[in-house]
Amino acid sequence: MLVHIPNVLSQDEVRHLRQRLETAEWTDGRVTAGEQSAKAKLNLQIPQDSPECRELGDIILRALGRNPIFNSAALPLRVYPPLFNRYDTGMHFHAHVDNAIRPIPGAGFRIRTDVSSTLFLTPAEEYDGGELVIQDTYGNQTVKLPAGDMVLYPATSLHSVNQITRGSRWASFFWTQSMVRDDTKRALLHEFDNSIIETRKVIPDTHPAVLGLTATYNNLLRQWAEL
C-alpha cells in the first residue's frame, strides 16, 4: 500500500527545518546503509546523534502524532527517530530494500521496519530528477511531492532514488513498526477506516450501521494487532 499524505508539515515548519539544516553538518549517507545498500547509495545525511537531527526529528514526530492519515495507514507501534538526507546534482540511490530490523540508538531495543516513509522538504520545482521509485505489484510508482508532503510504502518494497540532474533534494526518512505487520491487512483496515469516516458524514454516529462498522473495525484490529 502506497499512501500520499499531504501537509504533514506546515510551510512554516518546512522553512524552520530548512533553515536549521542549512547550517548543519552533512556527512556521507552510507553510514546508515547495510553492506549491500552502501554500494548503491550516493547521498549526504545529518549525523544521527547531532542536535539538529534530534530537534528536527521531534518536530516531525509531533506532526505525525496529530496526523490522522498517518495513524490510520501505518497503525504505528514504534517510530524510528527521523533521519535527514540530501541529494545534490549527480547523487542517487540505486534499487534496494531497507533493513528489516533497526536498533534505536540509546533505547536498548530494536524495531521491525514494516513501513518506510519519505517526507519531502524541497519544493519539487527546485530540482530535476530525484524521484522516489517504488516497485510494487502494479509496476514502478514514481513519487515526487511538494515540500511538507509525505509518502508511506511497505518497507519490503524494492525502491530507488533517481539521479539528481539539477538542484538539490532534501528530505526526512524513517521507518515504523506497525501494530499490524502484514501490509494487506493494514491496507484493508485503512480502507475500512476511510469508509467509516465517509459513512459518518451522512448518517449519525448513533446509527446502527455506524456502530456495526466501528465495532467490526476494532475487532479486526484486536485480532490482527501485535503489541
Side-chain angles (χ1 to χ4, degrees):
M1 176 178 62
L2 188 153
V3 181
H4 169 202
I5 307 180
N7 303 314
V8 172
L9 296 179
S10 69
Q11 290 308 298
D12 285 343
E13 288 173 321
V14 171
R15 280 191 290 272
H16 175 71
L17 264 66
R18 291 277 307 186
Q19 289 170 357
R20 294 287 285 125
L21 291 173
E22 289 280 0
T23 60
E25 174 192 3
W26 293 91
T27 60
D28 191 328
R30 287 174 291 186
V31 295
T32 59
E35 180 181 355
Q36 185 175 11
S37 294
K39 300 175 183 177
K41 187 176 187 180
L42 178 60
N43 69 2
L44 301 172
Q45 287 182 200
I46 298 295
Q48 192 167 9
D49 59 353
S50 68
E52 294 89 353
C53 193
R54 292 192 295 268
E55 174 198 338
L56 303 183
D58 285 344
I59 292 173
I60 292 172
L61 291 175
R62 288 194 294 271
L64 296 176
R66 62 177 182 259
N67 190 286
I69 302 177
F70 171 76
N71 286 285
S72 173
L75 294 170
L77 177 63
R78 298 186 180 96
V79 179
Y80 193 88
L83 301 171
F84 298 87
N85 62 18
R86 170 178 173 174
Y87 291 82
D88 293 336
T89 301
M91 293 184 175
H92 57 79
F93 200 163
H94 293 316
H96 64 285
V97 172
D98 292 332
N99 291 345
I101 305 294
R102 284 189 174 269
I104 296 183
F109 62 87
R110 299 170 292 177
I111 72 165
R112 185 185 64 242
T113 57
D114 298 319
V115 181
S116 294
S117 299
T118 297
L119 173 58
F120 289 77
L121 299 175
T122 305
E125 64 273 13
E126 291 188 4
Y127 62 98
D128 294 332
E131 299 88 357
L132 174 65
V133 182
I134 303 164
Q135 299 183 26
D136 66 12
T137 54
Y138 301 102
N140 288 350
Q141 309 297 316
T142 302
V143 182
K144 186 174 183 178
L145 300 179
D149 285 18
M150 185 170 76
V151 63
L152 305 183
Y153 57 97
T156 54
S157 303
L158 197 66
H159 59 283
S160 60
V161 176
N162 287 341
Q163 181 172 309
I164 294 284
T165 58
R166 179 186 66 89
S168 184
R169 169 203 190 266
W170 298 12
S172 176
F173 65 102
F174 54 91
W175 302 271
T176 300
Q177 180 172 334
S178 177
M179 291 183 287
V180 177
R181 76 164 70 193
D182 184 86
D183 181 61
T184 300
K185 292 177 180 177
R186 283 198 310 274
L188 286 171
L189 287 168
H190 182 47
E191 292 171 5
F192 203 157
D193 190 33
N194 286 336
S195 295
I196 293 172
I197 291 170
E198 293 303 313
T199 301
R200 293 176 62 200
K201 292 178 180 178
V202 295
I203 60 177
D205 285 354
T206 55
H207 192 283
V210 175
L211 296 174
L213 288 171
T214 304
T216 302
Y217 171 88
N218 280 285
N219 286 333
L220 284 173
L221 180 57
R222 183 176 292 110
Q223 180 176 347
W224 292 339
E226 304 172 24
L227 302 178

